Amino acid sequence: MKKYIVFLFLFFNLISFSQEDAWVYFNAKPDSQVYFADPLLMLTQRSLDRRILQNIPLDDKDIPMYQPYIDQIAAIPGIIIKAKSKWFNALHIRGTQANIQALSSLSFVDHIDFANKNLNVSGKTAILKENKPVQKAMETAVIFDYGTSANQIQMLNGHLLHQQNYTGTGKIIAVMDGGFPGVDTAAPFSRIRDNNQILGGYDYVTRNPNFYSGISHGTLVLSTMGGYVEGQLIGTAPDASYYLFITEDGSSETPLELSLWVEAAEEADRLGVDIISTSLGYTTFDNPNYNFTYADMNGTTSFISKGVDVAFSRGMICVVSAGNDGNNNWQFIASPADANHALTVGAVNSAGNYASFSSQGPTSDNRIKPDVMAQGANTYAAIPSGTVNNLYSGTSFSGPIIAGMVASFWQALPSKTNAEIVQLIKESSSVYANPTDELGYGIPNFSLALSNALSTNNFLESSFSLYPNPFQSNVFISFSKKLENTNFIIYSTLGQKVFEKKLLSSENNLELNDLSSGIYFYQLQTKGQTQSGKLIKQ
């Protein structure tokens, strides 16, 4: 009987692995102009406002995929669509190798990329790897009673931001994880529930609107940011708002999860999310043909890592846990921690010393990773029942602790771009001048980062003048001669660039007769600094 069981197991494994995963990339979006003419068809106003403040123009990546192309693929026997990405104009599909390769003959297909790299050939089908361990789911002074969780935030001097009432208010964090059971009932989340700070979510794994399900990893992760139990646990962003997205399948490990993350990130962008927190990492899969190698940890190979970089280009900050493989043969970061623009977070213990399980850098192309560190050993977190304890270790917790602090910090500096916020955080860190493979730039000091930023802001604001505002036809701009060679840009409320001029002198009289009456946003860019504001034409 045992022999039959083994035979059947192998037989069904062969059947399952005969189905390949691949990405099929389209070569066009024929209805682009419809969306460019009315951006609210594809992005919310909050998302457009984020673009305006950071001088980010709309582009083809923002345009939804062309539905007739999707319908043609869906109608092909033997092909199953598992996910889609407008950023990459691609579908994640599953089918036999032959059926997938046959798609290359379609006129709108640009190329096909198999998850099994050995199946990729030159021509219309694009881009070997060894088995590595999986890193899965991973105004009024405010004086919080952090209790047992105090060390987690005080190590970062984050409590000093809270005391200035920078607690994440007005910022939105999307949490990508494996499930959030208990968040709808447990006491540590009652504050964010009662204040309507949970804005929504979705289970991309089962295509279900119920996101209070799945594995409990996401529940613990969320508690380090939004949890609130006086004397036990106060999260690093107790007043931020949250979207909860399930992208990780706790029962398996397949390349589909990379695509589900990108799909969720695109929705986060559409909704106007500021920060994405990801305590997930990928190196190996159930089918070893899909495994990554260290060479793939270069920021440009993995689909999810490329997705992180596109998310950053939309104005968001992606905070990613480094991984928990520091003690293993594969001691390196996982994907998407390798992404060029991920704010990758490793783990230290309560004393601020490197935690040996924390995955190390550098990336395979020799970039500094992790970027920063936070407590990830014996971290206080809440489980679905509501119990709070410190039985949890992993960069799965140091990452969201930083993500919450990013929200509180960015609240204090709303005119800063995502790139400026990340750079300020790095520069405040304990070993910024001498980064290491284990610590990256070290432990951030958010109070120092805020002081540094405010001193820079004050310099720019005191050196710049724009008037009259509201205006009728002309706007006069003057600034210190030290700020000459400045770029001045005006955006509509839909995020469309309507005026741009390089200001080569310190006194400038701009004629804006062509602008219609209404509200606009401006940006002044000079020497790595940005000043934003509202402009009204009467």
Side-chain angles (χ1 to χ4, degrees):
M1 177 63 71
K2 187 174 182 182
K3 290 182 180 179
Y4 290 115
I5 293 173
V6 171
F7 172 77
L8 287 172
F9 174 77
L10 292 173
F11 176 72
F12 285 118
N13 258 359
L14 287 172
I15 291 176
S16 63
F17 284 167
S18 70
Q19 294 287 301
E20 297 292 343
D21 277 49
W23 291 271
V24 54
Y25 292 81
F26 297 165
N27 56 23
K29 292 181 175 179
D31 53 356
S32 295
Q33 289 309 312
V34 173
Y35 292 95
F36 282 134
D38 188 358
L40 287 172
L41 292 174
M42 58 184 177
L43 298 170
T44 62
Q45 186 61 58
R46 195 180 196 282
S47 181
L48 293 170
D49 290 345
R50 188 186 64 227
R51 307 289 185 90
I52 292 168
L53 289 174
Q54 299 189 57
N55 186 28
I56 299 171
L58 302 176
D59 60 28
D60 281 341
K61 285 186 172 62
D62 299 311
I63 307 298
M65 297 184 72
Y66 189 53
Q67 190 60 43
Y69 292 167
I70 298 174
D71 294 341
Q72 286 189 57
I73 298 292
I76 297 174
I79 297 294
I80 302 173
I81 298 175
K82 304 298 291 184
K84 59 183 180 180
S85 169
K86 68 175 184 179
W87 287 349
F88 296 104
N89 201 15
L91 297 177
H92 186 122
I93 59 174
R94 190 167 292 163
T96 65
Q97 179 182 349
N99 285 344
I100 292 173
Q101 286 175 329
L103 300 178
S104 295
S105 64
L106 296 173
S107 62
F108 57 85
V109 169
D110 182 77
H111 68 278
I112 295 168
D113 184 15
F114 281 92
N116 180 355
K117 315 311 188 284
N118 296 309
L119 301 180
N120 292 320
V121 295
S122 59
K124 264 197 146 182
T125 327
I127 60 162
L128 212 144
K129 313 232 163 149
E130 58 192 69
N131 205 358
K132 302 299 176 192
V134 173
Q135 185 331 59
K136 277 184 78 85
M138 301 193 248
E139 296 148 35
T140 301
V142 178
I143 308 297
F144 288 125
D145 182 4
Y146 299 100
T148 51
S149 69
N151 193 71
Q152 293 169 197
I153 188 169
Q154 290 174 355
M155 176 185 294
L156 307 169
N157 270 341
H159 63 297
L160 299 181
L161 268 66
H162 283 190
Q163 289 172 17
Q164 298 176 66
N165 211 21
Y166 300 129
T167 55
T169 301
K171 290 299 177 183
I172 302 177
I173 301 173
V175 187
M176 315 294 208
D177 217 283
F180 304 92
V183 173
D184 55 337
T185 57
F189 305 100
S190 60
R191 189 171 184 268
I192 59 173
R193 289 196 308 267
D194 294 345
N195 292 332
N196 298 313
Q197 291 167 239
I198 300 176
L199 302 182
Y202 189 71
D203 181 351
Y204 285 88
V205 174
T206 63
R207 300 292 174 180
N208 194 309
N210 177 22
F211 51 87
Y212 296 122
S213 58
I215 60 176
S216 62
H217 186 267
T219 303
L220 277 73
V221 164
L222 177 63
S223 72
T224 65
M225 294 178 278
Y228 192 96
V229 182
E230 288 190 358
Q232 296 183 57
L233 172 66
I234 306 293
T236 48
D239 292 317
S241 295
Y242 297 90
Y243 283 102
L244 309 180
F245 295 130
I246 299 176
T247 64
E248 166 72 16
D249 186 346
S251 64
S252 65
E253 194 79 306
T254 72
L256 176 59
E257 293 162 76
L258 313 183
S259 296
L260 297 182
W261 188 97
V262 171
E263 194 170 339
E266 292 175 3
E267 176 65 2
D269 174 37
R270 187 188 73 82
L271 292 166
V273 163
D274 302 295
I275 299 148
I276 294 176
S277 177
T278 301
S279 294
L280 304 169
Y282 302 93
T283 56
T284 64
F285 300 93
D286 296 341
N287 183 345
N289 290 323
Y290 299 158
N291 289 349
F292 293 129
T293 64
Y294 176 59
D296 294 320
M297 300 298 105
N298 57 11
T300 59
T301 295
S302 167
F303 191 77
I304 188 173
S305 297
K306 290 185 288 187
V308 165
D309 286 345
V310 177
F312 186 84
S313 76
R314 311 295 97 174
M316 295 181 282
I317 294 175
C318 294
V319 182
V320 179
S321 297
N324 301 327
D325 292 318
N327 289 322
N328 299 328
N329 290 333
W330 169 294
Q331 77 268 31
F332 301 107
I333 54 170
S335 177
D338 67 311
N340 288 288
H341 293 293
L343 181 60
T344 302
V345 185
V348 295
N349 61 21
S350 59
N353 299 319
Y354 170 71
S356 62
F357 61 79
S358 183
S359 291
Q360 303 171 18
T363 61
S364 62
D365 57 328
N366 208 36
R367 286 175 289 113
I368 296 294
K369 291 289 178 184
D371 295 296
V372 295
M373 310 294 281
Q375 184 172 342
N378 300 114
T379 311
Y380 280 89
I383 62 177
S385 68
T387 300
V388 175
N389 57 51
N390 69 336
L391 302 177
Y392 313 106
S393 294
T395 60
S396 286
F397 306 106
S398 57
I401 285 173
I402 289 291
M405 282 313 311
V406 170
S408 296
F409 181 60
W410 211 351
Q411 177 198 351
L413 301 166
S415 66
K416 290 291 185 185
T417 67
N418 59 347
E420 291 170 328
I421 291 293
V422 168
Q423 187 59 30
L424 284 164
I425 292 169
K426 290 179 182 177
E427 289 177 0
S428 76
S429 298
S430 56
V431 292
Y432 178 72
N434 298 288
T436 69
D437 292 341
E438 293 81 14
L439 297 175
Y441 296 109
I443 301 171
N445 181 336
F446 281 90
S447 180
L448 174 62
L450 182 58
S451 297
N452 290 342
L454 291 176
S455 62
T456 301
N457 268 359
N458 289 339
F459 168 74
L460 182 56
E461 290 171 3
S462 64
S463 306
F464 162 69
S465 174
L466 180 152
Y467 59 92
N469 190 12
F471 71 97
Q472 292 183 338
S473 59
N474 289 49
V475 169
F476 189 77
I477 301 175
S478 64
F479 42 76
S480 163
K481 290 185 179 297
K482 294 180 180 179
L483 298 182
E484 288 182 357
N485 219 10
T486 295
N487 205 33
F488 182 73
I489 307 169
I490 299 177
Y491 296 91
S492 72
T493 55
L494 292 178
Q496 298 162 314
K497 186 185 296 184
V498 296
F499 179 85
E500 182 173 12
K501 186 176 179 63
K502 181 72 73 174
L503 308 180
L504 302 177
S505 64
S506 58
E507 303 289 334
N508 302 272
N509 186 6
L510 305 181
E511 293 186 2
L512 301 174
N513 292 316
D514 292 339
L515 295 184
S516 302
S517 298
I519 298 174
Y520 298 87
F521 296 93
Y522 71 82
Q523 273 203 341
L524 185 79
Q525 302 171 334
T526 181
K527 296 182 178 179
Q529 304 175 49
T530 301
Q531 179 70 32
S532 303
K534 185 181 294 185
L535 193 60
I536 301 173
K537 184 172 183 181
Q538 295 177 329

